[in-house]
Amino acid sequence: MNVLGIETSCDETAAAVVASDKTIRSNVVLSQVDKHRLFGGVVPEIAARAHVEHLDRLIAEALERAGLSFRELDGVAATAGPGLIGALIVGLVTAKAIAAAHRLPLVAVNHLEGHALSARLVEPLDFPYLLLLVSGGHCQLLIVEDVGRYRRLGTTIDDAVGEAFDKAARLLGLGYPGGPAIEHAARTGNPARYDLPRPLLGRPGCDFSFSGLKTALRHHVEALAPLDERSCADLAASFQAAIGDVLIERTRGALALAAQRLRRAPEALVVAGGVAANAHLRARIAKLCAERGVRLVLPPLWLCTDNGAMIAWAGIERLYLGLTDPLSVAPRARWPLDEAAPPPAGVGRPGRLGARA
Ligand code: KG4
Ligand code: ZN
């Protein structure tokens, strides 16, 4: 079975062809980061227009590299949410047109499911496992019980963790995207120089919050202005250490909670999303797993960041179960994997969460 996967939920335009034997026949990703850099973050309208401009060419390239024509495909999968609505429409409508024209089954994939199942594309991995999803749009801990069966243990009540890195980098004048810039600056910094808060640490549950940390950082930056290189590096290191403490403590708690809920230890901890590129965080998570005797699966970086291969793979997992979608399926800006999960602690009114949460 060969499936075309299309991803346009945010600022990456991506198309891939994956085979059911896990061969990645092609995987083409076009990052729009340069288009958004000027604005210090993703501009939804610019993202949608860029997808329109490039998607057809990327799909043609993905097919060409795979050595396949539309007729030789067995299905088409596209991200239908959560994400920027204008951006999602471009990918989903394109997938519908291909499905209609070539009489292919359509799979409307939840982007988070794409991340959640991606580890199974590159490693033998059974259900259930725990997923720490850390990206520019998400910060969640989920039990992946099966395809389509997820239990959310925690999520962010304000910013996603990558978003926190991006905002912190902007405060420190380090540019965009912020994660790599902070990691680079932190290498020469002293993580103990500034005492930054660890929001929600020690509180019950597995939810996250990063806005207080960002505000504390802003106060330091204002007090130190103009910021010299030494203080900037020390602030970056202190910020990264605070994020690390929060992620480690929450993940430790989630491993225990998952074991309790499942009445057995999860098969592994999987970490996905762009923030999983951070070497400081990777080392700390590896240490936690070694201490706990937990198998750690860190998918390769090209699979951690947004891509079409993970969407094609989620499509294959769904097609195997006979799960397809009608051409009338609608994109969803919000689409939690665990629809039954209660809102995170501290979130009173609907609408407080960001569009992608
Ligand atoms: O998964 P991703 O490529 O896109 C989505 O948001 O879905 O994640 C991008 C995010 C950005 O916020 C970026 O700053 C962050 O991942 N990131 C990092 C690092 N590399 C990328 N954060 C911390 N350290 C890094 N090395
Ligand atoms: Zn993503």
Side-chain angles (χ1 to χ4, degrees), residues 21-205:
D21 68 357
K22 302 192 177 182
T23 309
I24 298 154
R25 293 190 179 276
S26 62
N27 188 34
V28 194
V29 183
L30 180 74
S31 170
Q32 303 173 1
V33 75
D34 291 336
K35 286 198 162 72
H36 302 284
R37 183 171 279 124
L38 192 62
F39 305 94
V42 178
V43 183
E45 185 59 27
I46 293 177
R49 282 167 190 248
H51 291 312
V52 171
E53 226 172 281
H54 300 293
L55 185 58
D56 287 353
R57 184 176 55 78
L58 282 181
I59 291 172
E61 194 177 326
L63 287 170
E64 194 185 312
R65 286 197 198 178
L68 296 173
S69 67
F70 281 120
R71 240 168 287 118
E72 290 165 294
L73 292 173
D74 299 284
V76 52
T79 302
L84 305 170
I85 195 69
L88 289 166
I89 288 170
V90 179
L92 186 60
V93 167
T94 305
K96 286 179 181 183
I98 295 169
H102 301 281
R103 298 180 194 285
L104 294 170
L106 172 74
V107 187
V109 173
N110 182 314
H111 179 84
L112 305 177
E113 180 164 75
H115 280 301
L117 300 177
S118 65
R120 285 163 54 83
L121 173 58
V122 285
E123 281 199 34
L125 174 64
D126 289 332
F127 300 114
Y129 53 87
L130 182 69
L131 172 73
L132 171 64
L133 178 58
V134 279
S135 73
H138 310 283
C139 188
Q140 304 196 351
L141 279 156
L142 293 148
I143 303 175
V144 182
E145 291 186 339
D146 206 338
V147 177
R149 273 192 27 224
Y150 306 91
R151 263 195 268 179
R152 195 178 75 198
L153 300 180
T155 187
T156 180
I157 63 170
D158 39 57
D159 291 345
V161 61
E163 195 180 355
F165 269 106
D166 294 336
K167 288 178 177 172
R170 193 155 17 153
L171 284 170
L172 294 172
L174 290 174
Y176 175 84
I182 297 239
E183 180 174 9
H184 183 76
R187 259 182 226 141
T188 52
N190 171 9
R193 175 149 167 220
Y194 295 103
D195 186 21
L196 296 172
R198 271 72 172 154
L200 299 184
L201 211 78
R203 300 256 201 100

Side-chain angles (χ1 to χ4, degrees), residues 7 9 111-112 115 133 135-138 273-274 304-307 310 356:
E7 157 63 38
S9 66
H111 179 84
L112 305 177
H115 280 301
L133 178 58
S135 73
H138 310 283
C304 276
T305 52
D306 290 350
N307 63 86
M310 70 179 190
R356 304 186 68 202

